[in-house]
Amino acid sequence: MPDHSWLSIDQLLQMSGAEFAQQDIAAVNLACAVGLPGSEGLDIALCLDRLDQWTDHARLATHKAIENKPKFPEYRDWSDARYRALMVQICLQNHLGVKYNHAQMEREYDGSDSRDLFIHAVLTTSHLAMCTTAPMIFAAIGRRLGYPIKLVKTKQHIFCRWDDSTGEQFNIEATSPGFYTHSDEYYRAWPFPWTVFEERSGCWLRSLTPREELALFLDLRGTCFFDNLESQQAADCFSAACSLDKSDPEIELRWAMVTFLQPTIQRLRQQDSSDSSQPLVVTFPKPRQTWEKVCCSASKNWLDRIIRSRRTRSNDILREFVHTEIATAM
């Protein structure tokens, strides 16, 4: 029987780099989903068992495909690695029914539902995949097959990379129907073009280490908490993510924003609990320190996005925001 034990976030954070490198990426991802909205009833053992089943399917399909490869001249010049990666993608999309939620690309970002950020719903229901889940599942299956699959970040997107120590390296776009291996240059402009500052930071297009993968999952966890207006839990997640990955300024900016907005969120909650009949006035603190001035505008935009998303999802749940006025003390 496979070992489906898993560790808590606190246990993972206490591990050395060498110890953490031995952890299953899927188990780490699922551990970071525990306790979030949308993860109610999460059964990590069931999810890991499902991944093992999918891996067995991919292994068998790949074995047959390699035997039949000479029958398909279009793949004659493909390396063994590229052909094996192709078979994982075919199995996920054509055999196992993992489909990407392309409609989400047309809507404003909403990170309030953990089913869109972590892999549990895609594994156990017909929930559509996102760029935060499809690459994780591809990587989890690939690694179970012994493939050197890494996660890579670009601006507001995640993809996979076959990163072999022998020198073979190619990117894998896990969200597109079919099999695409775009260049690094492609991801400098898609899905969003980089700024000069982002280019200079050097934080993207690197194969993530296992600890940086945990930072990514904690960053997603913090986003889910904050999009549900749980500012303290979000701040804790972003702080832990910053300690694991010091190269990504976006994580640090999110920590700064949620720290800046904590008093605002607390007052908002107090108003709502005291008198639900009155419209809420969301007052932002006046920025004083340099870091507060830097994140002030972004903080207001983020909270405004959360309010719009929550109002769109349910006017009943969001009655407190329907008539909200935003007063900014500058």
Side-chain angles (χ1 to χ4, degrees):
M1 293 290 292
D3 181 10
H4 284 162
S5 61
W6 55 279
L7 300 175
S8 68
I9 294 174
D10 288 341
Q11 290 172 311
L12 292 169
L13 289 172
Q14 293 170 10
M15 283 185 164
S16 67
E19 290 174 323
F20 191 81
Q22 303 303 314
Q23 299 303 304
D24 174 17
I25 186 175
V28 175
N29 180 278
L30 293 164
C32 291
V34 172
L36 291 174
S39 72
E40 297 82 5
L42 169 60
D43 187 333
I44 292 182
L46 174 64
C47 291
L48 296 177
D49 184 62
R50 182 63 52 81
L51 264 177
D52 290 341
Q53 295 173 22
W54 287 9
T55 302
D56 289 341
H57 181 92
R59 183 180 292 109
L60 179 60
T62 300
H63 178 73
K64 292 181 178 178
I66 290 176
E67 287 184 340
N68 293 325
K69 185 180 177 182
K71 299 178 182 179
F72 301 96
E74 62 268 34
Y75 301 121
R76 183 181 298 121
D77 297 330
W78 283 42
S79 68
D80 180 70
R82 194 174 294 261
Y83 194 63
R84 288 176 180 273
L86 166 69
M87 290 313 302
V88 173
Q89 187 80 323
I90 288 176
C91 286
L92 283 172
Q93 294 186 352
N94 298 349
H95 302 174
L96 301 170
V98 176
K99 304 298 182 185
Y100 182 69
N101 187 358
H102 290 280
Q104 183 66 25
M105 293 287 291
E106 307 300 324
R107 297 197 293 267
E108 188 172 46
Y109 180 79
D110 180 1
S112 63
D113 189 339
S114 68
R115 294 175 297 176
D116 292 331
L117 305 178
F118 297 90
I119 63 176
H120 55 284
V122 179
L123 289 172
T124 58
T125 71
S126 58
H127 199 79
L128 296 175
M130 308 280 285
C131 80
T132 48
T133 53
M136 315 308 170
I137 293 175
F138 189 102
I141 291 177
R143 293 180 190 182
R144 280 165 165 73
L145 293 171
Y147 303 162
I149 304 298
K150 308 292 186 181
L151 295 180
V152 186
K153 294 191 295 185
T154 186
K155 187 171 184 176
Q156 298 184 37
H157 189 64
I158 306 163
F159 59 95
C160 291
R161 174 179 290 153
W162 184 292
D163 198 348
D164 197 324
S165 59
T166 63
E168 183 162 14
Q169 183 183 96
F170 55 89
N171 299 327
I172 304 162
E173 181 49 58
T175 64
S176 297
F179 184 72
Y180 293 92
T181 56
H182 300 300
S183 67
D184 282 2
E185 193 61 32
Y186 175 86
Y187 289 108
R188 283 185 164 85
W190 188 91
F192 299 99
W194 296 8
T195 66
V196 173
F197 171 77
E198 290 163 346
E199 178 74 47
R200 292 174 177 172
S201 72
C203 65
W204 294 329
L205 297 185
R206 299 181 298 103
S207 295
L208 299 183
T209 67
R211 290 177 70 83
E212 288 170 341
E213 290 173 351
L214 175 57
L216 168 61
F217 301 153
L218 288 172
D219 186 22
L220 293 173
R221 180 177 175 84
T223 297
C224 189
F225 271 131
F226 193 62
D227 277 27
N228 284 280
L229 299 179
E230 300 289 347
S231 57
Q232 183 57 61
Q233 293 93 323
D236 292 342
C237 290
F238 292 140
S239 177
C242 285
S243 70
L244 292 167
D245 185 357
K246 302 181 185 301
S247 67
D248 192 338
E250 283 204 340
I251 299 178
E252 187 173 6
L253 175 61
R254 280 188 279 276
W255 172 84
M257 286 194 294
V258 74
T259 301
F260 179 70
L261 283 176
Q262 275 198 29
T264 299
I265 298 299
Q266 291 171 1
R267 287 195 298 271
L268 187 153
R269 288 180 172 278
Q270 290 171 357
Q271 289 184 63
D272 184 42
S273 61
S274 62
D275 187 355
S276 61
S277 65
Q278 296 297 317
L280 298 180
V281 178
V282 182
T283 305
F284 289 86
K286 183 176 181 178
R288 300 182 184 279
Q289 301 183 52
T290 301
W291 70 269
E292 292 177 332
K293 294 177 181 179
V294 170
C295 73
C296 181
S297 177
S299 299
K300 290 185 289 184
N301 291 338
W302 196 2
L303 185 57
D304 190 47
R305 173 189 63 78
I306 292 172
I307 292 173
R308 287 196 303 270
S309 296
R310 289 168 67 90
R311 184 187 298 125
T312 299
R313 288 198 307 275
S314 173
N315 286 330
D316 292 333
I317 294 175
L318 271 187
R319 58 174 176 73
E320 71 269 23
F321 288 123
V322 172
H323 301 293
T324 296
E325 299 174 5
I326 298 181
T328 307
M330 295 293 290

